[in-house]
Amino acid sequence: MSSIVPGPKKKLEEEITAARSGAKPLDASALSPSAPRQEQLTGLDVFPDSVRTAIEAEHTRLTALDTNRRKTADRAVPAVVEALDALLAEIGDRLGKPRLFGKLTAVAEPSAEAFELLGIPSDSVDSGSHRTAVRTLKQLRAQLKDLSGTPDHDRLTRISTLTIRLAVVLEASPSAAALIPEALARYTQAIPDPQWAEPFAEKLESWRQALT
């Protein structure tokens, strides 16, 4: 008696036929059965192009790490570094040049949501200066160049989480620029941040919610 379960070749033909008819998208892993199936990212239309590029690159790197493909993850690092470097440059532009005296004055008080997204207690005492923040951004960009040549995935995850989150909060609430110096100061002081260890899907959902 013949089996009713289609063989690999038949199954691939069915996948391609379904994709052509628009019934469902063709998963890249269907073309290479040995390749791990990668979850498709959806709902990225709420993010600016530069943030979306960073999220997609980071997702590719972390997916490779989660499926024990270290060489693939290493090859994904340059794309992540390039995307994060572009975001850090944008964040620096949003902060602007430091004034000669005092700090920049935000047009409005940062929202409670901005404090929460950045992991800063609402009753926290401001511990970062604008001038120091600009210098920290430059240091982070230099660190990224080093990581591009010698990948340190744990360190890159921390920088990626920080950078994407800063870009998202600035997009969601321009007045949150007043919190950027403190967020960067907390990072350089290695103050524990629970989002570093969160699964990527949970981070992504929190970033998405901030913009919707």
Side-chain angles (χ1 to χ4, degrees):
M1 182 173 63
S2 62
S3 172
I4 62 173
V5 179
K9 183 177 180 181
K10 180 65 175 178
K11 184 175 177 57
L12 175 57
E13 292 175 351
E14 292 176 352
E15 291 275 354
I16 294 174
T17 300
R20 287 174 175 170
S21 66
K24 67 175 183 177
L26 179 63
D27 193 298
S29 63
L31 299 176
S32 179
S34 62
R37 184 177 295 269
Q38 180 168 323
E39 179 184 354
Q40 283 192 321
L41 289 176
T42 58
L44 298 188
D45 55 318
V46 301
F47 298 102
D49 289 345
S50 56
V51 177
R52 183 165 59 249
T53 297
I55 288 174
E56 291 172 339
E58 179 69 342
H59 178 252
T60 297
R61 181 182 73 89
L62 293 178
T63 298
L65 285 177
D66 290 343
T67 52
N68 297 315
R69 292 177 294 144
R70 178 59 187 256
K71 290 184 178 179
T72 300
D74 288 349
R75 288 195 294 270
V77 168
V80 175
V81 166
E82 182 179 358
L84 294 180
D85 183 70
L87 282 184
L88 288 171
E90 289 183 11
I91 292 168
D93 291 341
R94 294 285 287 272
L95 286 181
K97 295 181 179 180
R99 293 178 176 179
L100 292 178
F101 304 101
K103 300 177 181 178
L104 290 177
T105 302
V107 296
E109 287 294 323
S111 65
E113 290 78 11
F115 276 93
E116 182 178 0
L117 184 61
L118 291 175
I120 300 175
S122 58
D123 59 351
S124 175
V125 177
D126 186 2
S127 60
S129 72
H130 183 275
R131 192 177 299 276
T132 300
V134 172
R135 185 165 60 248
T136 300
L137 290 174
K138 292 180 179 179
Q139 292 171 346
L140 288 173
R141 296 182 70 182
Q143 290 175 25
L144 283 174
K145 291 181 180 179
D146 293 338
L147 290 174
S148 184
T150 308
D152 179 336
H153 290 284
D154 288 340
R155 190 176 177 191
L156 186 54
T157 295
R158 292 194 294 272
I159 295 179
S160 175
T161 299
L162 171 72
T163 303
I164 295 175
R165 191 165 55 175
L166 291 179
V168 167
V169 77
L170 283 174
E171 183 68 21
S173 176
S175 64
L179 297 177
I180 300 303
E182 184 171 2
L184 289 170
R186 292 173 67 86
Y187 178 83
T188 57
Q189 294 164 15
I191 295 177
D193 186 335
Q195 196 171 77
W196 287 347
E198 284 182 358
F200 181 79
E202 292 183 15
K203 296 179 188 179
L204 180 58
E205 183 57 29
S206 70
W207 300 334
R208 184 187 291 117
Q209 288 180 359
L211 294 178
T212 55

